[in-house]
Amino acid sequence: VAELSRQANLPIPRLGISQISLPNAFAFGRWKSDGRICVTEGILRLLNPEELRAVLGHEMTHLKNRDVLTITLLSVIPMILYRIGWQMMYFGNYGNRRREGGGYTALIGLLAFLFYFITNLLVLYASRIREYFADRGSVELGNPAHNLASALYKLVYGSARTPKEAMREVEGLKAFFINDPSRALTELRELKGLDTDHSGTIDANELINLRGKTVKTSFADKLMEALSTHPNMLKRIKQLSTYERV
């Protein structure tokens, strides 16, 4: 982490190890000076040092780009619209009973709910874009793309094996994680063909082979991605293949 901090020109963040079995990591902090990175015991047991370094580079990039602050500020907009919608609908119904323009107030409430839905989708889109940027940032910090691809591949499998009880413990942290563990079972089906030599990892050749392939996702997968804070994992690893050196 100290080495990555020097390369990223950042203060060394505070570090934490969460005593949970789910393999994952996350970063948080409003400013570069108060950055923090947390890894779980599960990820320390699952990844090799090169893969773990790639994950830490991803989290370091989140700190460098102030992603937590950016997404938090963006999230305020739909929250305000949601509150306005409920207030206008309440006063609209009250006004209807008194016949004093309540219909217009209710209409404003409906419009606020509509814009709440739209802006919420935009915030989710921004969150997914930040994940792509963090992946690229990890590569720019000297981590070969296949190490991060292999780490993401292992995290999907590790998440799929995690008991449901452990999943419930981290339900509120999914947006901060490097991958969404609740989508692991779905992502397993999409990723099963990447590890062609069945080694349990994705090497440079396997990642480069993906570069020339077309990734097709169903309507259901596209809808699920649109409502998620994280990109589709297959598309994400496909993007990493464009950073791999031949």
Side-chain angles (χ1 to χ4, degrees):
V1 170
E3 180 186 345
L4 288 167
S5 298
R6 287 193 297 270
Q7 290 179 275
N9 195 26
L10 290 174
I12 299 176
R14 295 179 63 183
L15 303 176
I17 298 176
S18 177
Q19 296 177 347
I20 59 176
S21 60
L22 177 72
N24 227 296
F26 61 96
F28 58 100
R30 294 166 297 176
W31 320 111
K32 293 181 180 180
S33 58
D34 72 342
R36 306 176 188 192
I37 292 178
C38 181
V39 297
T40 67
E41 290 184 341
I43 200 172
L44 295 179
R45 291 193 295 265
L46 182 65
L47 303 186
N48 65 39
E50 292 77 18
E51 293 164 344
L52 181 60
R53 189 184 191 280
V55 168
L56 292 172
H58 173 101
E59 302 302 340
M60 192 72 67
T61 303
H62 275 313
L63 296 179
K64 184 176 182 179
N65 295 339
R66 297 190 180 98
D67 285 339
V68 173
L69 177 62
T70 300
I71 298 301
T72 300
L73 292 177
L74 288 176
S75 299
V76 171
I77 299 172
M79 289 173 59
I80 292 174
L81 290 170
Y82 183 81
R83 186 60 181 265
I84 291 174
W86 273 115
Q87 291 289 339
M88 292 298 100
M89 292 295 291
Y90 172 78
F91 287 116
N93 291 330
Y94 180 75
N96 278 332
R97 291 194 296 270
R98 299 192 56 174
R99 302 178 183 275
E100 294 180 358
Y104 292 107
T105 306
L107 179 60
I108 294 173
L110 288 174
L111 289 174
F113 277 127
L114 175 62
F115 283 109
Y116 156 75
F117 180 74
I118 294 173
T119 54
N120 199 46
L121 289 179
L122 292 175
V123 171
L124 293 173
Y125 175 75
S127 178
R128 295 193 298 273
I129 291 297
R130 304 317 296 175
E131 293 298 326
Y132 281 120
F133 285 163
D135 287 348
R136 181 173 181 175
S138 180
V139 176
E140 291 174 348
L141 290 175
N143 297 299
H146 67 269
N147 284 343
L148 182 55
S150 186
L152 293 172
Y153 178 74
K154 285 184 175 182
L155 288 175
V156 170
Y157 275 81
S159 298
R161 294 195 300 265
T162 301
K164 292 182 178 179
E165 294 75 18
M167 285 287 208
R168 284 195 289 267
E169 291 178 3
V170 297
E171 186 66 28
L173 291 173
K174 291 190 301 182
F176 294 96
F177 283 158
I178 189 172
N179 74 303
D180 185 348
S182 64
R183 294 172 56 188
L185 291 175
T186 301
E187 291 171 342
L188 272 179
R189 295 192 295 270
E190 298 177 340
L191 301 180
K192 62 181 180 181
L194 297 185
D195 182 18
T196 55
D197 62 0
H198 306 290
S199 64
T201 63
I202 298 178
D203 59 33
N205 290 329
E206 289 169 333
L207 188 59
I208 290 173
N209 289 337
L210 180 62
R211 186 184 300 175
K213 297 181 179 179
T214 301
V215 172
K216 295 181 180 180
T217 53
S218 66
F219 174 78
D221 290 334
K222 292 177 180 177
L223 180 61
M224 183 179 294
E225 183 181 30
L227 299 175
S228 176
T229 55
H230 290 73
N232 175 278
M233 185 58 76
L234 183 56
K235 289 168 58 178
R236 189 173 171 184
I237 294 178
K238 163 79 171 181
Q239 183 63 32
L240 278 171
S241 72
T242 64
Y243 309 142
E244 184 68 25
R245 295 179 181 179
V246 179

